Amino acid sequence: GIWIGIPTSYSHLISPATTLGFDFQHAEPGYCVLTKWLPADTPSRLPNGPTHQVGIGALVIHPLTGKMLAVQERTGPAAARKLWKMPTGLTDPGEDIATAAVRELKEETGLDCVFDKIICFRQSHGGLFNRSDMFFICLCKLAPKYEEVLKNGGEIEISPQEEEILCADWMDLEDYAHQSVWRESPLYKEMNGAMIRAARSGITFSSVHQEGNDDERESHGFVAKNLPVGIRPGSNTIYVSSKL
């Protein structure tokens, strides 16, 4: 097969390329890629363009009250329903899931947090432009600096992102899970149940080591390990069961 990358400045070449039998493989800001499978008697074995987007939802539990961090968005389907939801967002190109969770929390609420583990993830299909979606629920812990604030009787200051977030607050997990939208969905009932079980395993600050073995604390999820590839330069992040 033949691959052609065409930058925006040469977009006038797209029309003659399609006339010659090329078709779109994918497009990004600044360029598009077209392909053509040459053997006329066999189906194309060239890979499709990007098929998935990757999103995260960040679960943060207040270490004293046991409430979860929740937000209401200014626009979109969730805003129309006045739905309380956890901070969410899409990963940027080249961004690890763990990094995206911490970034989205900072952007939407102003809080500094540390990634702990992936609790669960959901795969769906037929989304925007018929793409599939991988959505990861990430348990994050408050940065150690907030521990001193609470010890001195202070409150954790939340700073909602002005452009996107209408309000942010700490919310009882049961109240969150019993919103009418969630109650009507077997999928989200399962997801919220996993979140509640993770929260009940004991939430502390990122600097605190919890006593007891894993079975006693009912630890669930996948922890992140960024490791060298070894056979070539660079490193990858692998997510492994916290039980192993």
Side-chain angles (χ1 to χ4, degrees):
I2 304 175
W3 299 67
I4 299 178
I6 301 179
T8 303
S9 56
Y10 287 87
S11 58
H12 60 280
L13 298 178
I14 294 175
S15 180
T18 57
T19 301
L20 294 172
F22 286 83
D23 206 343
F24 292 99
Q25 202 267 356
H26 75 276
E28 300 281 349
Y31 76 96
C32 69
V33 173
L34 289 82
T35 62
K36 181 179 180 180
W37 180 248
L38 294 179
D41 56 344
T42 61
S44 173
R45 295 196 299 273
L46 295 175
N48 294 321
T51 60
H52 284 70
Q53 66 178 14
V54 177
I56 64 90
L59 174 64
V60 179
I61 304 299
H62 195 291
L64 298 185
T65 67
K67 294 183 177 182
M68 68 173 285
L69 179 64
V71 300
Q72 283 191 328
E73 296 180 338
R74 288 189 178 276
T75 60
R81 294 174 178 265
K82 297 183 178 179
L83 182 69
W84 285 96
K85 57 190 285 292
M86 70 189 109
T88 60
L90 296 176
T91 58
D92 290 334
E95 185 180 39
D96 286 338
I97 293 167
T99 305
V102 173
R103 174 184 56 78
E104 285 289 348
L105 276 168
K106 181 69 172 179
E107 290 177 357
E108 294 195 2
T109 68
L111 294 178
D112 292 309
C113 296
V114 177
F115 173 86
D116 185 26
K117 65 187 69 174
I118 294 171
I119 299 171
C120 61
F121 57 93
R122 177 219 68 202
Q123 183 179 25
S124 64
H125 307 287
L128 187 64
F129 302 117
N130 204 34
R131 294 293 185 263
S132 299
D133 179 82
M134 297 289 288
F135 183 71
F136 294 82
I137 305 296
C138 301
L139 178 64
C140 296
K141 295 187 177 183
L142 291 169
K145 67 179 183 180
Y146 299 111
E147 185 174 5
E148 194 66 27
V149 174
L150 292 177
K151 282 183 177 179
N152 293 329
E155 296 292 336
I156 298 173
E157 183 178 349
I158 304 173
S159 301
Q161 185 181 34
E162 185 176 348
E163 297 83 4
E164 296 184 14
I165 305 301
L166 179 65
C167 54
D169 205 349
W170 301 100
M171 186 175 189
D172 286 328
L173 280 147
E174 288 74 15
D175 291 341
Y176 176 88
H178 281 86
Q179 294 180 93
S180 60
V181 174
W182 302 148
R183 291 201 313 269
E184 297 166 3
S185 168
L187 170 68
Y188 284 100
K189 286 172 68 175
E190 182 71 23
M191 183 183 294
N192 291 336
M195 291 163 51
I196 291 173
R197 290 191 297 273
R200 286 175 177 168
S201 70
I203 303 300
T204 60
F205 293 96
S206 59
S207 62
V208 177
H209 173 72
Q210 291 174 263
E211 298 297 329
N213 59 45
D214 284 345
D215 290 334
E216 289 172 346
R217 291 188 283 110
E218 298 183 354
S219 177
H220 302 273
F222 297 87
V223 296
K225 296 182 179 181
N226 188 269
L227 301 172
V229 177
I231 58 175
R232 58 176 173 79
S235 63
N236 287 174
T237 301
I238 182 171
Y239 297 88
V240 297
S241 172
S242 56
K243 287 285 191 179
L244 300 178

